[in-house]
């Protein structure tokens, strides 16, 4: 791929758009159905994704499994809520399984409630974040509702799907119990939940379109691997995962550090005045008693904690601006002569809200596990960062007056000490980091034989899903079409209105040429 080798100086001035079509065509006959799909792990066969291609179950046949609400409105949209009762673990006998609830919101354009529209399932990024809550018809949802009945599913453990919050998880009495519970909250079971919903919602249990953003795209590739008969077509936006066996987290973080450094350079070039400002903050934190200052929730803000602001600030379209404006108000004004210099409550509060660990702790607990198949992560980001500490030592950089580099999408073990909302779950997080029997999330053989039409938006400077790793995976998904661009960042689906969705649909419905 020539674009991957193009010098950065040549790419940046352009709105880079490039399409790629796999050599395998996606429109030949489908593979035979399978009732139960199992994968080999290091400890033997583990039933992971139940394709649910057996007898159709409808809401009328199992009323307790599916409850449908009444229609209600937001401007130009009609919505109704669905609640499904599903197994925590699909491989267990249905008479003995633990049950959880999955919430999904159905969205249509006003006046289309009774029309026979094709279904589109949206899978949110994360892991550990709920689906969007529409307040009006706008952006990609407005575009999708022109031709689809949109299903916004809260992935298990988020939103209204038996949410795993900082309070609800305390019901599990031991770290071992919590870790054993959390192992069921990855892409394999998210796909099982999606298939359960499809069988209840789609007329004649027909296939639907899936739109996967970021981690939602990872889930969609798991869907392609193990339950392709449920899919009519798949749209990926910034969400093509590394699919190698074992744990690919080390490769992900090693590749991402290069892009993180580049994003830091771009940030300080945009806001050079922030070099001194951030150094001053780091020095203040390092010299404070205990090595940091108290956060409003009871945690502590340290220099290495401050660097986490790159998680949001360096990777989205307006992240640079928001990060800069946060630092504009980092210091309290001196309104009484002789008062001590201190970091403002405004900044400390904004810091906690930006990271969202208090409202979405599942992200911190499960993030590295999304890269694991039959191998532990062993705190991969922390190990890879240690190899790059010469670049990311905040205290050393601040003392020398060099730019302090922010980190990216990484979870570190010390976060479970420094952030109040995460402290009760430190031991469980450590158990998950050492878990070595994670079941498979992808089937490369099935992907190479894929027959489902797939189109993907690939963002050249994506901070979260590394371009080079994407280009290693893409050729292994037969028939995939890539739209490569640096017009958008990772948040392109949100930022582009309906343009990104329209472009991907056009790649599959003939409006965009194959070459």
């Amino acid at each position: 791929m020539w674009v991957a080798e193009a010098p950065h100086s040549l790419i940046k001035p352009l709105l880079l758009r490039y399409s790629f079509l796999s050599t395998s065509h996606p429109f030949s006959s489908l593979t035979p159905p399978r009732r139960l799909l199992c994968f080999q792990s290091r400890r033997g066969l583990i039933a992971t994704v139940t394709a649910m291609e057996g007898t159709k179950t409808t809401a009328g046949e199992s009323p307790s499994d599916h409850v449908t609400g009444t229609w209600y409105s937001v401007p130009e949209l009609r919505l109704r809520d669905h609640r499904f009762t599903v197994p925590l673990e699909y491989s267990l006998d249905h008479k003995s399984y633990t049950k959880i609830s999955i919430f999904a919101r159905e969205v249509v354009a006003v006046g289309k409630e009774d029309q026979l529209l094709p279904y589109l399932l949206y899978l949110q990024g994360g892991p550990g974040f709920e689906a969007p809550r529409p307040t009006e018809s706008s952006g990609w949802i407005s575009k999708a509702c022109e031709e689809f009945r949109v299903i916004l599913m809260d992935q298990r453990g988020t939103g209204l799907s038996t949410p795993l919050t900082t309070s609800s998880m305390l019901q599990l009495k031991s770290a071992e119990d919590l870790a054993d519970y959390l192992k069921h909250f990855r892409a394999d079971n998210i796909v099982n939940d999606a298939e359960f919903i499809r069988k209840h919602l789609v007329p004649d249990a027909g296939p639907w379109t899936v739109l996967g953003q970021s981690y939602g795209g990872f889930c969609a590739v798991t869907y392609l691997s193990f339950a392709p008969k449920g899919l009519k077509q798949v749209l990926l936006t910034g969400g093509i995962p590394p699919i190698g066996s074992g744990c690919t987290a080390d490769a992900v973080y090693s590749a991402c550090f290069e892009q993180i450094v580049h994003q830091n350079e771009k940030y300080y070039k945009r806001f050079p005045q922030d070099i001194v400002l951030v150094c001053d903050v780091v020095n203040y934190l390092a010299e404070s008693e205990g090595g940091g200052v108290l956060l409003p929730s009871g945690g502590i803000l340290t220099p290495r904690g401050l660097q986490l602001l790159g998680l949001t600030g360096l990777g989205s379209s307006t992240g640079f601006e928001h990060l800069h404006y946060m630092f504009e108000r980092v210091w309290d004004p001196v309104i009484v002569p002789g008062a001590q210099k201190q970091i403002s409550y405004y900044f400390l509060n904004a810091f906690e809200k930006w990271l969202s660990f208090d409202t979405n702790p599942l992200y911190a607990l499960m993030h590295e596990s999304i890269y694991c198949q039959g191998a532990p992560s062993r705190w991969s980001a922390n190990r890879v960062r240690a190899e790059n500490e010469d670049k990311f030592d905040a205290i050393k950089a601040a003392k020398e007056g060099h730019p302090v580099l922010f980190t990216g999408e990484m979870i570190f073990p010390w976060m479970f000490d420094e952030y109040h909302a995460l402290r009760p779950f430190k031991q469980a997080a450590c158990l998950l980091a050492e878990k070595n029997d994670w079941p498979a999330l992808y089937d490369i053989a099935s992907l190479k034989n894929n027959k489902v039409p797939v189109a993907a938006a690939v963002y050249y400077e994506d901070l979260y899903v590394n371009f080079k790793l994407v280009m290693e995976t893409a050729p292994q998904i037969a028939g995939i079409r890539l739209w490569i661009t640096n017009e958008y960042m990772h948040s392109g689906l949100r930022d582009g209105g309906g343009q990104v969705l329209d472009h991907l649909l056009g790649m599959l419905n003939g409006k965009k040429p194959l070459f």
Side-chain angles (χ1 to χ4, degrees):
M1 303 296 291
W2 65 267
V3 66
E5 301 300 324
H8 224 82
S9 59
L10 296 180
I11 296 297
K12 288 180 67 177
L14 304 175
L15 295 182
L16 186 151
R17 296 169 179 262
Y18 185 77
S19 293
F20 167 81
L21 177 67
S22 169
T23 55
S24 299
H25 202 277
F27 302 114
S28 56
S29 60
L30 294 173
T31 54
R34 291 171 290 175
R35 293 182 182 272
L36 184 66
L37 299 129
C38 300
F39 327 117
Q40 186 72 39
S41 77
R42 291 184 177 180
R43 294 189 178 180
L45 285 172
I46 301 176
T48 308
V49 176
T50 307
M52 301 191 70
E53 294 169 357
T55 304
K56 176 185 175 185
T57 303
T58 67
E61 293 169 338
S62 302
S64 61
D65 289 343
H66 179 201
V67 177
T68 303
T70 57
W71 288 104
Y72 56 98
S73 299
V74 300
E76 300 184 42
L77 295 175
R78 293 282 283 165
L79 309 92
R80 65 176 172 181
D81 300 341
H82 298 270
R83 287 175 167 81
F84 303 88
T85 301
V86 305
L88 173 68
E89 185 175 358
Y90 280 84
S91 62
L92 296 180
D93 181 84
H94 73 280
K95 295 180 181 179
S96 60
Y97 62 60
T98 299
K99 298 179 181 180
I100 61 173
S101 176
I102 300 297
F103 174 84
R105 182 172 279 113
E106 183 179 358
V107 186
V108 297
V110 169
K112 294 186 176 182
E113 297 92 325
D114 298 322
Q115 292 186 19
L116 294 176
L117 299 169
Y119 281 73
L120 181 148
L121 171 69
Y122 175 70
L123 294 176
Q124 170 68 28
F129 288 87
E130 60 272 17
R133 269 47 184 170
T135 57
E136 61 180 358
S137 181
S138 62
W140 72 263
I141 290 179
S142 177
K143 178 62 184 178
C145 286
E146 291 177 6
E147 56 182 293
F148 291 101
R149 189 175 294 272
V150 176
I151 303 299
L152 302 174
M153 181 181 78
D154 284 347
Q155 295 168 21
R156 53 171 51 200
T158 75
L160 295 174
S161 294
T162 310
L164 295 179
T165 66
T166 54
S167 52
S168 69
M169 285 191 290
L170 295 177
Q171 297 173 33
L172 294 158
K173 300 304 183 184
S174 71
E176 291 78 12
D177 288 346
L178 178 56
D180 189 59
Y181 193 81
L182 289 172
K183 70 183 183 183
H184 303 296
F185 286 77
R186 298 200 309 159
D188 45 6
N189 281 308
I190 292 170
V191 170
N192 277 328
D193 296 337
E195 279 291 270
F196 188 98
I197 292 172
R198 182 181 66 85
K199 292 291 184 179
H200 281 72
L201 281 186
V202 181
D204 300 320
W208 56 9
T209 295
V210 168
L211 169 61
Q213 159 64 18
S214 188
Y215 174 67
F218 289 26
C219 296
V221 176
T222 299
Y223 213 147
L224 281 170
S225 293
F226 302 120
K229 284 183 69 66
L231 300 171
K232 180 179 180 181
Q233 55 189 0
V234 170
L235 311 171
L236 307 174
T237 58
I240 297 180
I243 60 176
S245 60
C247 179
T248 58
D250 285 12
V252 169
Y253 296 129
S254 296
C256 285
F257 264 108
E258 180 181 347
Q259 185 63 36
I260 291 167
V261 172
H262 176 61
Q263 291 298 103
N264 274 281
E265 291 171 349
K266 288 167 58 179
Y267 174 77
Y268 285 120
K269 187 174 182 179
R270 286 272 303 278
F271 302 106
Q273 64 270 42
D274 287 1
I275 295 175
V276 173
L277 179 58
V278 176
C279 284
D280 286 346
V281 176
V282 169
N283 286 328
Y284 179 89
L285 293 172
E287 294 165 6
S288 298
E289 184 179 354
V293 300
L294 289 178
L295 290 163
S297 69
I300 184 172
L301 176 60
T302 64
R304 62 188 180 184
L306 185 77
Q307 291 174 284
L308 294 177
L309 287 173
L311 171 60
T312 300
L314 297 184
S316 60
S317 61
T318 58
F320 284 10
E321 292 82 1
H322 286 298
L323 185 57
H324 170 69
Y325 294 138
M326 275 183 65
F327 275 104
E328 277 190 338
R329 296 188 59 182
V330 67
W331 301 114
D332 266 340
V334 177
I335 58 178
V336 175
Q340 289 186 338
K341 182 179 182 179
Q342 64 180 19
I343 295 177
S344 68
Y345 179 88
Y346 172 90
F347 181 86
L348 298 174
N349 186 54
F351 173 86
E352 290 196 302
K353 287 184 177 179
W354 232 27
L355 295 181
S356 303
F357 295 137
D358 56 341
T359 56
N360 296 85
L362 196 59
Y363 174 82
L365 283 160
M366 299 300 295
H367 185 262
E368 288 199 351
S369 76
I370 69 176
Y371 299 113
C372 296
Q373 301 186 91
S377 71
R378 297 188 297 112
W379 295 112
S380 176
N382 198 53
R383 290 185 288 102
V384 175
R385 172 177 170 153
E387 299 169 3
N388 294 270
E389 193 60 24
D390 58 322
K391 296 179 181 178
F392 287 87
D393 186 334
I395 296 175
K396 182 175 182 291
K399 287 181 178 179
E400 296 175 354
H402 297 153
V404 173
L405 300 188
F406 298 100
T407 53
E409 189 176 34
M410 300 168 183
I411 299 298
F412 303 103
W414 48 261
M415 293 164 56
F416 290 83
D417 294 313
E418 295 186 4
Y419 300 110
H420 178 77
L422 299 180
R423 285 173 180 166
F425 314 120
K426 179 180 179 179
Q427 189 177 350
C430 290
L431 291 172
L432 292 170
E434 296 300 326
K435 182 176 170 61
N436 60 12
D437 60 349
W438 291 108
L441 294 172
Y442 311 106
D443 185 323
I444 295 176
S446 293
L447 293 173
K448 287 184 175 180
N449 192 43
N450 173 56
K451 305 299 187 298
V452 178
V454 183
V458 178
Y459 307 123
Y460 188 76
E461 293 190 328
D462 197 322
L463 180 71
Y464 307 100
V465 180
N466 183 263
F467 178 79
K468 293 179 181 179
L469 297 181
V470 165
M471 299 309 291
E472 292 176 6
T473 296
Q476 301 186 71
I477 304 175
I480 191 172
R481 293 199 61 199
L482 301 183
W483 169 37
I484 300 171
T485 178
N486 69 345
E487 183 176 358
Y488 299 103
M489 296 184 71
H490 188 73
S491 53
L493 182 65
R494 180 190 67 206
D495 302 329
Q499 295 179 10
V500 171
L501 178 60
D502 185 58
H503 193 104
L504 294 180
L505 289 170
M507 293 170 72
L508 297 183
N509 64 19
K511 292 183 179 180
K512 303 290 181 181
L514 292 179
F515 302 102

